[in-house]
Amino acid sequence: MADGGWIVVIGVSVVNLCTRSIEPSFGLLFGDLLKEMGVETTGAAIIMSTLDALINFSGLFVGPIIRAFSYRKVSLLGSALSGLGLILTYPASTMAHLLITYSIINGLGVGLTSSSTFVALNNYFVKRRGQAVGFSLAGTAFGMMLMPQAVKLLLDLYSFRGTILILGAFALNGIVGSSLLQPAKWHFVPQSKTEEELGYHQEMETIKETEDEDAELAEGQTLITNKVTSDLAIKTLDELSKPGGLARKSTFPRNFSTMSFMGNRKRKNSIDSASSVSRLDFTGSSIHLQFDSKEIDEPMYGSARQLRRNMSYPGVQLSPQHKIIQVHPTPVKKKPKKTAWQKIVVFMDFDLLKDPIYLNLVFGLSIFYVAEQNFKMVTPFFFKDIGYDKSDVALFLSVQALTDILARLILPPICDRLLISKRTLFMTGIFVLGICRSVLAEQTEWTMIMIWLFVCGFFRGAALINFTITISEYSSLEKLPAAFGLHMVGKGLFVVVFGPLLGQIRDKTGSFPICLHSQTFLIMLCCLAWTIEYAVRYFRTRSAESDTDTTTT
């Protein structure tokens, strides 16, 4: 299982490298084309916001699709769509063309691969989930380090149209990585059970005859026989106690301590050894089973034997007097039919939206995601605005990605050993990251920019290794595809609302530093919302503990 799990990590890393590493180089790749179209920062924000919206809105149906097919097939489809979207962007000359090919087709493909690869990792890893996610995301960070240099080189050689064709062909290599995402059940090793575990029974339980034993019983040996079609012949225990009245092989399921039968591994031997005990339990008592013949028709006679199996007579307190147990058929209550909306809620797991903690979790992750995506889009324009050329911009992005990779490789083993939730670690990381980015926004010197990009990259990696794990940490494995999918939808909604707003802030103010500070403000909103939740939960826990202490006293 371990070997198969790390192969899946390699596959996920390849998929991320091929489909997501181009995103930070958007401004570098599309900058000249957007300038020719006469589109300002707002146009770039619309393209990126639409891309993110498709990536995340795919989560609305990716959960049911993964359940219906498999995460491997969904990842294969996503990788193919991502490469196709980039290739079709080749002749783009209008905003509409870019939105359809790059934002919609490519975005849908990236969304499918993101969800399916995340579910694949969580099916393989539990204890080392942080390391697995960190190593798999290292593929993305490695691509982010190399891609700016590669994009600059390709643009110099082939211009935009040749570059986008090459990048589209590169994205199709994600199909190779997707093929490595084998279903986890292929690698399950069945646990061997000892003889004691196989023969274990509960201390008190009903042991029933098997179908083979039931077939061996003669009809005259059963407690209830069918003499005529409308009457039931009733045998009292007085009659059964006579020779031949009750066969050695018991017809009653019995409640008794199974600990005394641990040495007997054969069911028949266990039942035979307790048959005399069963008769002694009824000494001095007589019992009749009387059925209401008006409510029982012919098929009921055939079920009398089944009824005999499910009645546990030693649990009935009997007196020496004559007692009658009347058994009447219980009407089966029909379950009310679910409405179409209720079926949709169950199928899509919309009941998660009733959980306030989950909603607050999605809010924080979504608001941070908007700030992160906008930062990746704006920074190339910011560096150009303060006088740096494409070579410097490519170097800046590569340095940031380098420290990002270091954080993803170094920190996951440490974080997995800390007795701190991944959500708390993520919140700490983004808090420091927001402050560092605001400091970076005020720098203009080459050396200081390099230093703060180095720091920002490290804390970005420290935060993102725990970004998706906060969802898997909160959700069960069965609910994980739906929880992650709805979380992606939340991110998409926030990107649609706040993405263009951040672009408008830049265009209205004419200042990139103010735009970067507004991103830090969104990050701090996430920290504030989660801190309030932590405080409320803490005081509720203290209040509940004090009430418990008072009650105990």
Side-chain angles (χ1 to χ4, degrees):
M1 184 70 178
D3 295 339
W6 293 116
I7 290 175
V8 167
V9 170
I10 295 174
V12 173
S13 185
V14 171
V15 173
N16 290 333
L17 172 65
C18 296
T19 59
R20 306 220 64 170
S21 58
I22 190 179
E23 292 177 13
S25 304
F26 172 82
L28 190 62
L29 177 62
F30 288 88
D32 293 339
L33 179 63
L34 295 176
K35 186 176 181 180
E36 292 176 5
M37 294 180 183
V39 181
E40 299 293 336
T41 309
T42 303
I46 292 175
I47 294 174
M48 290 299 294
S49 297
T50 306
L51 172 69
D52 289 330
L54 263 294
I55 291 175
N56 293 295
F57 283 135
S58 64
L60 186 62
F61 52 84
V62 74
I65 290 177
I66 290 177
R67 286 200 303 266
F69 299 97
S70 69
Y71 48 77
R72 189 187 197 187
K73 295 178 181 177
V74 175
S75 181
L76 287 169
L77 175 62
S79 299
L81 287 176
S82 178
L84 180 64
L86 292 176
I87 292 174
L88 293 177
T89 308
Y90 162 74
S93 58
T94 62
M95 279 285 295
H97 192 144
L98 286 175
L99 287 173
I100 293 173
T101 56
Y102 181 77
S103 298
I104 297 178
I105 299 178
N106 175 56
L108 181 60
V110 174
L112 293 177
T113 57
S114 299
S115 301
S116 55
T117 52
F118 177 70
V119 173
L121 287 175
N122 282 271
N123 274 271
Y124 272 89
F125 291 92
V126 178
K127 293 182 180 179
R128 297 184 178 181
R129 184 175 292 168
Q131 297 181 46
V133 173
F135 293 161
S136 66
L137 291 177
T140 307
F142 184 73
M144 291 178 180
M145 181 182 68
L146 297 181
M147 193 58 69
Q149 303 295 333
V151 168
K152 175 185 174 298
L153 179 62
L154 291 173
L155 286 174
D156 292 339
L157 295 175
Y158 304 106
S159 73
F160 167 77
R161 305 196 185 282
T163 301
I164 199 68
L165 281 177
I166 295 174
L167 293 177
F170 176 72
L172 290 176
N173 287 281
I175 296 175
V176 178
S178 300
S179 65
L180 298 178
L181 307 182
Q182 296 180 350
K185 61 183 180 181
W186 289 9
H187 301 276
F188 286 160
V189 178
Q191 296 180 351
S192 58
K193 296 185 177 180
T194 61
E195 187 178 3
E196 288 75 11
E197 292 175 336
L198 291 172
Y200 172 76
H201 295 286
Q202 296 180 2
E203 181 68 20
M204 292 295 294
E205 68 175 349
T206 299
I207 296 182
K208 304 174 184 179
E209 297 93 345
T210 62
E211 294 297 331
D212 294 338
E213 293 171 331
D214 186 55
E216 294 174 2
L217 292 175
E219 188 170 337
Q221 294 174 331
T222 58
L223 178 65
I224 303 174
T225 58
N226 181 13
K227 285 187 177 181
V228 289
T229 57
S230 61
D231 298 324
L232 287 174
I234 307 300
K235 290 187 177 183
T236 65
L237 288 181
D238 293 332
E239 297 172 342
L240 294 174
S241 61
K242 297 178 181 179
L246 181 64
R248 181 64 176 172
K249 187 171 291 186
S250 174
T251 60
F252 293 97
R254 293 169 297 279
N255 286 342
F256 52 82
S257 174
T258 58
M259 300 302 291
S260 60
F261 297 99
M262 292 298 293
N264 298 326
R265 299 303 173 194
K266 295 182 179 180
R267 286 284 307 276
K268 291 187 178 182
N269 293 341
S270 298
I271 296 174
D272 291 343
S273 63
S275 59
S276 58
V277 179
S278 176
R279 284 197 290 269
L280 291 175
D281 291 339
F282 291 91
T283 303
S285 302
S286 61
I287 182 172
H288 290 269
L289 295 181
Q290 178 175 326
F291 293 86
D292 190 350
S293 60
K294 295 181 181 180
E295 297 181 3
I296 300 178
D297 53 7
E298 181 65 23
M300 185 63 188
Y301 297 149
S303 63
R305 183 175 299 172
Q306 182 65 28
L307 175 65
R308 167 179 58 81
R309 289 177 175 275
N310 294 327
M311 295 185 63
S312 181
Y313 296 101
V316 181
Q317 301 296 327
L318 297 175
S319 64
Q321 300 175 355
H322 186 75
K323 293 199 173 185
I324 295 177
I325 298 178
Q326 292 186 346
V327 181
H328 300 281
T330 303
V332 179
K333 295 182 179 180
K334 295 183 178 180
K335 295 182 180 180
K337 293 184 178 180
K338 294 181 179 180
T339 62
W341 173 247
Q342 289 174 334
K343 292 180 180 178
I344 293 175
V345 169
V346 173
F347 183 71
M348 304 294 293
D349 288 318
F350 283 160
D351 56 318
L352 287 168
L353 300 179
K354 298 180 181 179
D355 187 348
I357 296 178
Y358 175 75
L359 291 178
N360 192 35
L361 177 63
V362 170
F363 169 79
L365 294 176
S366 301
I367 205 73
F368 166 76
Y369 183 80
V370 174
E372 175 62 26
Q373 293 300 98
N374 193 262
F375 179 82
K376 290 191 296 185
M377 182 197 69
V378 168
T379 45
F381 295 100
F382 166 61
F383 294 138
K384 287 182 179 180
D385 185 67
I386 57 179
Y388 292 97
D389 57 17
K390 290 182 180 180
S391 299
D392 293 324
V393 172
L395 179 61
F396 291 155
L397 297 179
S398 297
V399 168
Q400 181 180 234
L402 174 63
T403 55
D404 190 332
I405 292 176
L406 292 177
R408 299 186 194 215
L409 295 178
I410 296 172
L411 295 180
I414 300 174
C415 294
D416 284 344
R417 288 171 172 80
L418 295 177
L419 299 178
I420 304 174
S421 69
K422 297 296 190 293
R423 185 178 179 185
T424 303
L425 292 173
F426 172 76
M427 183 174 67
T428 305
I430 65 173
F431 180 82
V432 179
L433 177 63
I435 295 175
C436 292
R437 284 181 174 176
S438 287
V439 175
L440 173 65
E442 300 299 327
Q443 307 303 318
T444 56
E445 295 183 4
W446 189 91
T447 303
M448 295 303 297
I449 289 176
M450 290 289 289
I451 292 174
W452 284 106
L453 280 175
F454 191 94
V455 177
C456 289
F458 186 85
F459 281 100
R460 179 180 184 272
L464 292 182
I465 59 175
N466 297 310
F467 181 79
T468 54
I469 303 181
T470 56
I471 295 292
S472 58
E473 183 181 55
Y474 180 77
S475 174
S476 64
L477 191 61
E478 293 77 15
K479 291 279 188 179
L480 183 59
F484 190 74
L486 293 175
H487 143 73
M488 291 181 64
V489 174
K491 290 194 301 181
L493 291 174
F494 274 70
V495 165
V496 170
V497 174
F498 293 101
L501 179 62
L502 293 176
Q504 287 288 338
I505 291 175
R506 155 68 188 91
D507 290 341
K508 296 295 183 181
T509 61
S511 171
F512 282 101
I514 292 178
C515 183
L516 294 176
H517 291 317
S518 63
Q519 298 165 11
T520 300
F521 174 75
L522 294 182
I523 292 175
M524 295 306 167
L525 280 181
C526 169
C527 297
L528 178 62
W530 287 4
T531 302
I532 293 174
E533 179 197 324
Y534 282 3
V536 171
R537 292 167 61 184
Y538 172 77
F539 286 115
R540 284 183 178 178
T541 303
R542 290 289 301 273
S543 177
E545 290 177 352
S546 62
D547 292 343
T548 302
D549 294 340
T550 304
T551 304
T552 304
T553 303

